[in-house]
Each structure stands twice: as structure tokens, then as C-alpha cells.
Amino acid sequence: MRHPEEELTSLHEEGLLRSLRPMESGPPTLSRAEGHAVVNFSSNDYLGLSRDEALVTAACEAARRHGVGSGASRLISGSLPPHHALEEKIAEWKGSQAALTFASGYATAIGVLSAFLTKGDVVILDKLCHASLIDGARRSGATLRVYPHNDLNKLECLLKNYREILPNDSRLLVVTESVFSMDGDRAPIPEIVNLVEQHNALLLLDEAHAVGILGSEGQGLAEELGLQDRITFQMGTLGKAVGSAGGYLAANRAWIDLLLNKARPFIYSTAPPPAQAAASLCGIEIIASSRGKALRDRLWSNISRLAELLGKTPSSAIMPVILGTTEAALDASSALLVKGYLAPAIRFPTVPRGSARLRITLSAEHTTEAITGLHDSLLKSS
Ligand SMILES: *Cc1c(COP(=O)(O)O)cnc(C)c1O
């Protein structure tokens, strides 16, 4: 039998060993890691809502009123008022008939893809889709095809070919993110929506890194483009800009009813704590309000500032600095940590081999000094 020590040694030799970095809690932009006070440029808490007083209060009140645990699966007796209030708000905000929430975005992706697809169906994913989407597609039993990142010609070919050979009652689903998690670039959503409609397919759009950042009320890229009602499945997480935890799917009532009948991570798991749902609802309410708009404006001015320093055109709060080898990325990250900036190295298998990078994420709470300081230190370390 293979020993775990041997696997760990080979991961270590390849520079791919991962370990936990205990962080002390503090304001999201000034944390402590490994004994250093650091400015955190690695969090997905884009608007700083995870420590917001209103969210903390909402969570505490929900815990006092409903308890800490839900006690059972949503379908048994765990479906509490905060869960329902959250789902109604998400549906309204996303312009859909209904929504269903899960314990995490990861569980949402697994649940949705394996509930809606089966053997004989076809799922087509962008090459850079998040692991949760790939895992869900694999588990579904459908034929899985991948197109090169944002390659519309290849996507069109795949759609055309499969539409011709697929029986009428089989499903053909395209999956993409609106803002890509490791590259920060955007998918050409209008073109993808057109192709999907032309070939009588379905579209699942994961807005994990667009919610809170894009859209008139922070709903994401689909809303910003006026395309919400042409996208069958709008998916996202509540753990990033929303500041809490969980994941959701917004869709038509029939799809949501089918989902709650078939999604195994939903059915066979205790409902998320009511405090988590209450904090998520509060986070969305803030994002949709004028305060949310002000936070978005601050975030975008920070994004523009760093993009200008790096000579890049900004499209989201994620700015990768691609360094190539695992070693180069690890060295640059360590050098930054010593200078007081936390920007971890992202390595294989999270990104393809040879494209190891620093993944810098910006928050509305970063100061101008922190951003210029990060940039100065980057110049010296890479
Ligand atoms: C983070 C992320 C997820 C998973 O969401 P969690 O709530 O963290 O489990 C899914 N899809 C994408 C694109 C993500 O970036």
C-alpha cells in the first residue's frame, strides 16, 4: 500500500505541498500571518463585509432566535425563516422566479450539475472553469467537453456537432464563469448567450467573482449587460463579496423544484446555520443599497489605481501576476510577505503548469498607500 508520507514527499519535491497558514483575525486588509502584520491582498471579501457590524448583528440575532444549528436537512425540518427570506431576496435581486441556497458554492456546483444532467446529456465547459464546476460535471455522468478559454469558434463547433447528434430530450449545457477566478478576465457573455440560444442549449453562469462588483445593484455581469432573463441558471457564492458563506442557484420555479428534489448535497446534508443565511441576506441588502454602490466605487478606484501601476486594463478585482515556474511564484510571495503584503503563490493544479502566479485581489478597504507599497515591493521582488 502507498504510504501518505511518500505522497507528501513527492509533493514537497515538486514545490506543490500545501499547508495551512494560521491567520489572526483583524480588519480584512490588516491581518497577521506567520508573526508579521500584513496587508491582505488575497481575500475574496471584496467589499469588506465579512466583519461588517450589520452582518455580525444579523448573524447574532438569528442565532439567538433560531439557535446555532438547523437540526436537520432542509427537506426534513431544517428549513427555517432565514433560509426562505434569503432565497426570496436572491430571486428578486437576480430577476428570477426562484432560488435555492446551499452550504457553499462548491456544494451548489456539485448539486446543480449532478441534479440536472445525466448519462446521455452533454456539458461543455470553458477550460478555466473552477474545480467545483468540473467536479459537478464529472459526477453527473454526462459527456464532458472543454473548449479553450473564451474560444467562441470552438464553442460554436461543439454546440453545432452535439445539437445534430443529440436526441431531442437530451440536455445540452454550457458552463462558464462571468469573471474567471484565477485570471480575473471576463467571458464574452453576449456572444455565448447568442450561441446557446441558436443551438437550443442551456447556460449556467457562475458569477462568484462578479457579484458585489458588477451590475447596477451588484448582481453581477449578466445584469450589467441586461442579460439576466436570457440565462437559465445564475449561480454564485455567498462567501466572497457577500461576506458570509453559502452558494445559490437562481432559476425558474420548475428548475428550482427539480433541484430540491434531486440535488444530493442539498438533500443529504444538515441545513446551513440560520445565522449564515441571515448574514448572507444582510450582505445582499447592503450590496444592493446606496452604501453598496459607494463600496463598489471605492473598490473600482482601487482596482484602477493598481491596474495603472501594473500597466494593465482592469476587468475585475482579481489581478494575476504570472511568473511561470512554481519556484518563481513561491519566491515572489515570500519576498512580499517579508515586506508586509500577503499575496499567496497559486500553483498547479489550481492553475495549469508553467503559469504559476501571484493572485492579487483588491478590496474596497485597501488604502492608497497599501496599493503603492505593494506595487513597489512587487517591482523589487519579481
Ligand atoms: C469560490 C468559487 C466557488 C466555490 O464557492 P465557495 O462558496 O467558496 O464554496 C465556485 N465557483 C467559483 C468560480 C469560485 O471562484
Side-chain angles (χ1 to χ4, degrees), residues 10-85:
S10 72
L11 282 173
H12 181 66
E13 283 166 1
E14 288 182 83
L16 297 177
L17 189 68
R18 298 171 186 229
S19 59
L20 293 172
R21 183 199 308 274
M23 299 279 298
E24 280 169 40
S25 59
T29 53
L30 190 61
S31 314
R32 290 184 73 80
E34 290 167 19
H36 303 274
V38 293
V39 183
N40 188 352
F41 280 99
S42 69
S43 172
N44 301 313
D45 182 12
Y46 298 117
L47 302 175
L49 291 180
S50 74
R51 300 178 57 84
D52 189 86
E53 202 47 49
L55 273 80
V56 172
T57 304
C60 291
E61 278 176 3
R64 289 239 148 68
R65 184 176 304 182
H66 304 286
V68 170
S70 296
S73 153
R74 290 284 302 281
L75 286 165
I76 303 300
S77 57
S79 204
L80 301 171
H83 300 122
H84 291 273

Side-chain angles (χ1 to χ4, degrees), residues 104-107 130 132-133 177 181 206 208-209 235 237-240 246:
S104 69
Y106 186 88
H130 191 259
S132 59
L133 300 166
E177 296 174 25
S181 60
D206 185 347
H209 296 279
M235 186 196 129
T237 172
L238 302 164
K240 288 169 181 159

Side-chain angles (χ1 to χ4, degrees), residues 296-373:
R296 259 192 303 291
D297 289 347
R298 286 231 304 271
L299 173 62
W300 275 104
S301 86
N302 283 344
I303 293 170
S304 306
R305 186 165 292 132
L306 184 61
E308 196 177 311
L309 290 171
L310 293 172
K312 297 188 183 209
T313 312
S315 45
S316 72
I318 301 164
M319 257 174 258
V321 177
I322 297 183
L323 295 166
T325 67
T326 298
E327 250 182 354
L330 287 171
D331 289 351
S333 176
S334 308
L336 282 180
L337 191 63
V338 172
K339 293 263 165 59
Y341 302 99
L342 180 63
I346 307 287
R347 299 165 273 171
F348 178 82
T350 307
V351 293
R353 284 189 199 275
S355 75
R357 66 195 66 185
L358 300 175
R359 175 179 179 270
I360 295 167
T361 52
L362 288 159
S363 155
E365 298 204 326
H366 285 126
T367 60
T368 310
E369 300 80 71
I371 293 168
T372 23

Side-chain angles (χ1 to χ4, degrees), residues 156-169:
E156 183 170 19
C157 277
L158 286 167
L159 280 168
K160 217 162 149 187
N161 291 346
Y162 279 107
R163 187 72 282 165
E164 272 169 24
I165 59 169
L166 265 187
N168 252 343
D169 63 347

